[in-house]
């Protein structure tokens, strides 16, 4: 049983954090488009960002700031314009965005991190952003997480939020998070933004290591369409306001905190995959029997990301051959005679050989999962074993529907 439980509040559930989200006029739709998360005091900051060589200005800005100092006070997020591929002026806009928050909050320079999401090639509407900063700061509150979660989304159908609480040294410690993402989602990283807050005290190197490992088990294990974004950012702040003893080394407290951080990241990552553009269901792929966990995760990612597997799931076709084929091309060595494939409760392949199965029942399972009816779940479960090794890994994706093409065919028009 987990050592934590769910609490309300998202990124403002941990002590010492406030958030806000407003309509600043950045989106043509008039939807909320500017968010701010603020810690009352300095917070240890960590980040994981896109591995794409084509990066938004906000990614370069945050990397530089985190290399220069290990603390931050605030995160500013704009939605509507990605500010990627915008040249030198995009960098100037990024710096001015952060400076506007520094001035409005009267906090030290270089203590604001930033993130952007929206259409690539479009600069931030700086006049609207600057005009909105005073109202954004005025709206900050300990109940502002939901507003912030709504203000960071683009094509998402729903905002994504979670908060968990555990005990460390007999004192409550909380981790909260919000995320956005629906399309242009693929590992390394998956267009997604995620922001995590924590009121534990933890050393900068340890917090960064925890976040990177958590990302590898969550956001780097989701895929919607095989495209990695220019703006992917996962930023985590830990401000120590729980007044628990500082966690500086590996040990039981560090393990408990990292487990809860990983759980928050997995929840948010699954919410992104579940909300994939045009998706009708979440797909969870569990792989076992690999030589190590990394190999298992690689096979799971490949299966979850296969366009043929995704299309078959949308068509409610239990085509196990596509699953087997994706496993075989994942770049992980295994004996095909060890391959086992299971869809829900139906074993489709064992010891590399096809098995007779109830095809109408398997198709019905896919239909029921898509309708959210199967065991009250909208998740299609695929279990694959590739041997007898100790490695296990999980990846999440979604089906590939006609609506995905419709959404992305006119994204900028």
């Amino acid at each position: 049983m987990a050592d934590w439980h769910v609490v309300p509040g998202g990124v403002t559930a941990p002590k010492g954090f406030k958030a806000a989200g407003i309509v600043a006029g950045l989106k043509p739709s008039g939807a909320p488009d500017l968010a701010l998360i603020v810690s009352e005091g300095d917070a240890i900051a960590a980040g994981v960002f896109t591995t794409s060589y084509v990066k938004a200005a906000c990614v370069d800005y945050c990397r530089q700031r985190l290399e220069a100092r290990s603390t931050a006070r605030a995160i500013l997020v704009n939605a509507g314009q990605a500010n990627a591929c915008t040249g030198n002026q995009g960098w100037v806009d990024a710096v001015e965005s952060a400076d506007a928050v520094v001035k409005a909050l009267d906090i030290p320079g270089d203590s604001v991190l930033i993130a952007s999401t929206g259409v690539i090639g479009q600069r931030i509407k700086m006049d609207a952003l600057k005009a909105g900063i005073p109202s954004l700061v005025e709206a900050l509150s300990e109940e502002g997480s939901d507003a912030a979660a709504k203000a960071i989304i683009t094509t998402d159908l729903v905002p994504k939020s979670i908060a968990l609480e555990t005990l460390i040294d007999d004192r409550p410690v909380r981790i909260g998070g919000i995320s956005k993402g629906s399309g242009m989602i693929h590992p390394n990283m998956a267009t997604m933004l995620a922001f995590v807050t924590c009121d534990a005290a933890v050393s900068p190197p340890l917090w960064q290591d925890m976040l990177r490992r958590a990302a590898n088990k969550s956001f780097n294990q989701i895929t919607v369409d095989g495209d990695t974004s220019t703006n992917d950012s996962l930023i985590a702040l830990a401000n120590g306001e729980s007044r628990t003893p500082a966690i500086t080394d590996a040990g039981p407290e560090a393990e408990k905190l990292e487990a809860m951080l990983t759980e928050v990241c997995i929840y948010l990552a699954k919410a992104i995959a579940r909300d994939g553009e045009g998706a009708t269901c979440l797909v969870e792929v569990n792989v076992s029997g690999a030589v190590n966990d990394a190999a298992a995760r690689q096979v799971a990612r490949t299966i979850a990301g296969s366009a043929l597997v995704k299309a078959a799931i949308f068509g409610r076709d239990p085509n196990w051959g596509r699953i087997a084929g994706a496993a075989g091309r994942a770049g992980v060595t295994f004996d095909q005679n060890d391959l086992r494939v299971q869809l829900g409760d139906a074993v489709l392949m064992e010891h590399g050989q096809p098995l007779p199965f109830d095809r109408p029942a398997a198709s019905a399972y896919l239909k029921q999962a898509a309708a959210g009816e199967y065991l009250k779940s909208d998740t299609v479960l695929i279990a694959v074993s590739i041997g007898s090794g100790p490695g296990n890994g999980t990846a999440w994706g979604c089906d590939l529907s006609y609506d995905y093409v419709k959404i992305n065919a006119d994204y900028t028009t």
Side-chain angles (χ1 to χ4, degrees), residues 135-332:
S135 297
L136 185 64
V137 170
E138 185 177 352
L140 285 168
S141 79
E142 294 177 355
E143 291 76 41
S145 181
D146 287 347
K150 292 176 183 177
I152 67 175
I153 63 176
T154 49
T155 60
D156 306 52
L157 296 179
V158 294
K160 303 159 181 70
S161 175
I162 184 68
L164 301 177
E165 178 182 288
T166 191
L167 292 177
I168 294 179
D169 198 42
D170 294 325
R171 295 182 65 86
V173 169
R174 292 181 172 186
I175 298 180
I178 59 174
S179 67
K180 68 83 54 181
S182 184
M184 208 174 188
I185 304 294
H186 199 58
N188 299 318
M189 282 170 47
T191 295
M192 62 142 281
L193 302 178
F195 309 104
V196 174
T197 58
C198 176
D199 52 18
V202 57
S203 68
L206 192 58
W207 189 232
Q208 180 64 52
D209 288 345
M210 286 180 178
L211 189 67
R212 187 169 298 282
R213 287 191 292 265
N216 285 338
K217 295 176 181 178
S218 57
F219 296 109
N220 279 334
Q221 288 298 110
I222 59 174
T223 180
V224 168
D225 48 21
D227 275 296
T228 298
S229 167
T230 56
N231 291 56
D232 300 331
S233 300
L234 165 61
I235 300 173
L237 303 180
N239 64 10
E241 289 295 322
S242 65
R243 304 306 178 193
T244 51
I247 301 173
T248 58
D249 299 299
E253 290 80 8
E255 291 175 2
K256 179 182 285 190
L257 188 68
E258 182 171 343
M260 191 164 69
L261 172 64
T262 301
E263 186 68 17
V264 165
C265 290
I266 287 175
Y267 178 92
L268 294 174
K270 289 171 66 176
I272 290 173
R274 180 179 282 107
D275 196 25
E277 289 173 340
T280 68
C281 60
L282 176 69
V283 179
E284 179 174 303
V285 182
N286 297 294
V287 174
S288 61
V291 293
N292 53 45
D293 290 350
R297 289 198 296 265
Q298 185 170 328
V299 175
R301 283 197 305 269
T302 304
I303 296 171
S306 165
L308 289 177
V309 171
K310 290 157 64 70
I313 292 172
F314 175 69
R316 319 312 174 204
D317 177 12
N319 189 338
W320 59 264
R322 293 182 176 181
I323 299 171
R329 67 173 174 83
V332 172

